[in-house]
Amino acid sequence: MIKVRDGDLERLGLLFERYKRPLYGFFYGMNKDQELSEDLIQNTFLRVLRYRHLFRGEGDFRTWLFHIARNVRHDHFRKEKIKTKDPLENWEHQLGHSENRYQEMEQDETQMTLSLAMDRLAPDKREVLLLSKYQEKKYKEIGEILGCSEGAVKVKVFRALQELKTVFEQLEKQR
Amino acid sequence: MEKNRMEELVEKYNEGLADPSEISELEKLIENGQVAFTSLKNLSTLEDMLTNSKDPVPSIELDARFYSMLKKESGKMKSSSFSWQWLIGNTFVPRLAFALTLLFIGFLGGYWLSKPQEKSEVASLTREVSDLKEMVMLSLLEKESATDRLKAVSLSNEMDNASKKVTAALLQTLNEDLNVNVRLAALDALRPYTRDSQVREELIRSITIQDSPLVQVALAELMVALQEKKSVKELEKLLKDEQTPKEIKERIQESIQTLI
């Protein structure tokens, strides 16, 4: 990233290749919308380019990237909130892209139940669990992204996991 | 908190028997880092499942869109070579500015400090070169080869202000050199120093010393050019000399007439 910051923009391609999947996993996990998730990735990297001079190189690039990603997503939904949406449209949005849903059905049932349980969590809980996954359980770095202490992140993850466990068990019983 | 109580809380939680107050107690322990998720078996299994779950894959379109965006942005950057964002954000620029300022101050300081020294150094070098030329010239004049002696004479032409040593050497060459060409060259080299009365007197004295008619005529012509009336006596001596060729006597006579 330091080379990108100093003007070697072509190097951004390497960072894109390395982080496009974790970013997609994060966005898709939050929105269940393939097209929107890809738009948000594009916007995230565009913002990385525009604000590359702000990268000091002191911290982890992944943390900085996810910080931007989270802001990009927030900005998107803040704009979307202004436009009042039809409730049915919202439902379609929640269902997500059919192609990806089909892929998920091919996965084993436990994974599918877990994915469904994640979808039923409140966005803030889902977000902290996705960040935990894609930040490889580095709670201090997640704290930097969310603007709270490492201890607070651990409590957030604990609560989110507890709720996930409850929903997961309910879905397993229904199966 | 006692270790036993912590273990008890973790055990109760893992068995699903912990009440809300015990869960909040556990939260505090997690926050302080006293209890790790790994000890909470059910939760850590779920977290591992989540971590190991398959990642959704973006479409190929994403790559195409990204690389076209990158190309566009790179093009923008190349077209506008100056960017305030880059100027402010890049740490290289202030460093470069600092380095250039230091370099400039260094040059300025160096220039002022070395100026007088430089002048004296140049003067000393010029003096050294001049001394060296003089030495070379004097040593060349002693050579057997007439060419070398001619070189020596021509070397004196390159000197801005020849010392008395050089003029004396040139006068000696004019009077004593065996080669007529060398003597003529020495006479020619002495022209710039004819303002010196001592050189003029020596030139007048040289008229009768010369046995070569060519040098005699050249000296006579020089005397005319210098309007040196003192030379008439010496020139008349040549007229009286039987060995002086007739044609030369005529030329000298002309010179005497001009001088009188």
Side-chain angles (χ1 to χ4, degrees):
Chain A
M1 182 58 208
I2 287 164
K3 286 189 177 170
V4 175
R5 185 193 67 191
D6 295 342
D8 190 358
L9 299 195
E10 303 301 317
R11 296 261 174 173
L12 192 71
L14 290 174
L15 294 172
F16 170 77
E17 292 302 333
R18 194 179 298 164
Y19 294 107
K20 66 180 177 185
R21 285 185 72 164
L23 270 183
Y24 185 74
F26 172 69
F27 285 131
Y28 188 77
M30 291 303 292
N31 316 316
K32 292 286 179 250
D33 185 328
Q34 182 198 356
E35 210 175 313
L36 175 65
S37 300
E38 290 182 1
D39 280 349
L40 294 177
I41 293 175
Q42 181 85 348
N43 289 342
T44 302
F45 277 103
L46 193 63
R47 225 175 258 197
V48 166
L49 262 187
R50 300 255 160 96
Y51 298 100
R52 63 186 185 276
H53 61 279
L54 295 174
F55 183 71
R56 297 281 168 212
E58 290 152 2
D60 183 24
F61 171 70
R62 184 191 280 258
T63 310
W64 191 64
L65 182 70
F66 271 87
H67 191 86
I68 292 174
R70 194 169 173 260
N71 288 341
V72 165
R73 190 181 161 271
H74 278 208
D75 290 348
H76 172 78
F77 283 102
R78 205 171 46 231
K79 280 180 198 164
E80 286 297 302
K81 219 178 179 180
I82 299 165
K83 301 175 197 170
T84 47
K85 273 195 165 185
D86 185 85
L88 185 66
E89 210 178 311
N90 275 337
W91 261 108
E92 281 172 355
H93 186 257
Q94 283 290 312
L95 284 168
H97 201 276
S98 57
E99 207 176 296
N100 275 60
R101 279 287 173 203
Y102 181 72
Q103 277 178 7
E104 278 173 11
M105 281 167 77
E106 281 185 330
Q107 291 172 6
D108 65 82
E109 284 188 359
T110 315
Q111 282 291 333
M112 209 174 94
T113 312
L114 185 67
S115 174
L116 283 170
M118 278 289 279
D119 294 350
R120 291 199 182 177
L121 288 186
D124 61 325
K125 289 194 167 101
R126 197 158 66 233
E127 186 183 48
V128 81
L129 289 179
L130 286 168
L131 285 174
S132 173
K133 176 180 176 172
Y134 293 113
Q135 281 288 324
E136 293 158 353
K137 296 180 190 175
K138 289 176 183 167
Y139 301 118
K140 196 183 165 206
E141 278 81 356
I142 299 167
E144 281 171 29
I145 297 169
L146 298 178
C148 60
S149 69
E150 189 180 350
V153 173
K154 284 179 181 172
V155 173
K156 278 177 196 275
V157 172
F158 174 69
R159 287 177 186 167
L161 281 173
Q162 275 203 116
E163 198 176 315
L164 182 68
K165 186 176 160 259
T166 311
V167 178
F168 180 76
E169 282 170 355
Q170 279 172 0
L171 288 171
E172 284 276 280
K173 275 179 199 169
Q174 285 169 18
R175 227 165 55 186
Chain B
M1 189 180 280
E2 278 180 26
K3 203 182 172 186
N4 287 345
R5 175 67 184 147
M6 279 199 290
E7 281 171 3
E8 191 191 336
L9 271 173
V10 170
E11 208 172 310
K12 264 192 159 181
Y13 184 82
N14 283 339
E15 284 167 13
L17 300 169
D19 59 37
S21 70
E22 284 172 325
I23 288 174
S24 71
E25 230 180 305
L26 197 62
E27 274 183 5
K28 275 178 191 165
L29 292 170
I30 289 167
E31 192 176 1
N32 299 332
Q34 288 174 285
V35 169
F37 286 125
T38 43
S39 58
L40 308 171
K41 284 171 194 166
N42 290 340
L43 290 192
S44 71
T45 313
L46 199 63
E47 200 185 18
D48 287 346
M49 269 172 68
L50 195 67
T51 307
N52 300 324
S53 62
K54 278 184 188 170
D55 289 330
V57 184
S59 70
I60 308 165
E61 273 175 49
L62 175 70
D63 289 15
R65 280 175 64 198
F66 169 79
Y67 285 107
S68 116
M69 179 271 286
L70 187 61
K71 202 177 167 187
K72 203 174 150 190
E73 289 295 316
S74 297
K76 267 189 206 170
M77 195 193 161
K78 275 173 197 165
S79 64
S80 63
S81 57
F82 187 80
S83 156
W84 282 108
Q85 277 189 353
W86 183 81
L87 198 67
I88 297 161
N90 202 317
T91 53
F92 174 72
V93 175
R95 279 185 201 169
L96 183 71
F98 182 67
L100 285 176
T101 313
L102 275 185
L103 197 68
F104 180 70
I105 292 168
F107 265 120
L108 212 66
Y111 176 74
W112 287 112
L113 284 172
S114 68
K115 213 179 169 186
Q117 200 186 343
E118 200 175 277
K119 267 189 177 175
S120 70
E121 269 179 21
V122 169
S124 134
L125 271 174
T126 315
R127 201 165 48 243
E128 273 176 32
V129 170
S130 171
D131 288 350
L132 197 73
K133 272 186 186 173
E134 220 174 271
M135 203 176 74
V136 171
M137 184 216 158
L138 295 173
S139 70
L140 278 174
L141 277 176
E142 286 168 11
K143 294 268 178 180
E144 274 185 38
S145 153
T147 320
D148 284 342
R149 295 200 302 278
L150 271 173
K151 267 184 200 169
V153 172
S154 64
L155 207 62
S156 71
N157 291 331
E158 291 174 18
M159 295 174 193
D160 294 333
N161 277 308
S163 67
K164 290 211 166 175
K165 228 184 200 176
V166 173
T167 49
L170 284 171
L171 284 165
Q172 197 184 350
T173 308
L174 176 68
N175 295 334
E176 295 172 12
D177 202 285
L178 297 172
N179 190 293
V180 177
N181 288 329
V182 177
R183 273 184 272 158
L184 281 171
L187 180 64
D188 208 41
L190 280 164
R191 273 176 196 266
Y193 309 105
T194 48
R195 280 182 186 175
D196 186 341
S197 59
Q198 215 177 334
V199 173
R200 282 160 87 117
E201 277 172 24
E202 288 299 321
L203 284 173
I204 295 164
R205 203 177 300 147
S206 179
I207 296 170
T208 47
I209 300 169
Q210 298 300 329
D211 55 0
S212 159
L214 281 171
V215 183
Q216 286 167 347
V217 170
L219 270 168
E221 281 173 359
L222 181 63
M223 292 303 127
V224 171
L226 296 171
Q227 287 293 302
E228 187 55 79
K229 290 180 181 175
K230 286 178 194 170
S231 64
V232 175
K233 271 186 185 176
E234 297 299 309
L235 290 169
E236 280 172 346
K237 279 182 190 173
L238 286 180
L239 289 175
K240 287 170 190 170
D241 193 339
E242 287 177 1
Q243 285 183 334
T244 312
K246 199 185 167 187
E247 296 84 19
I248 303 298
K249 279 184 180 175
E250 281 171 10
R251 295 276 298 270
I252 289 168
Q253 185 65 46
E254 279 171 24
S255 301
I256 293 169
Q257 290 299 319
T258 320
L259 283 166
I260 296 168

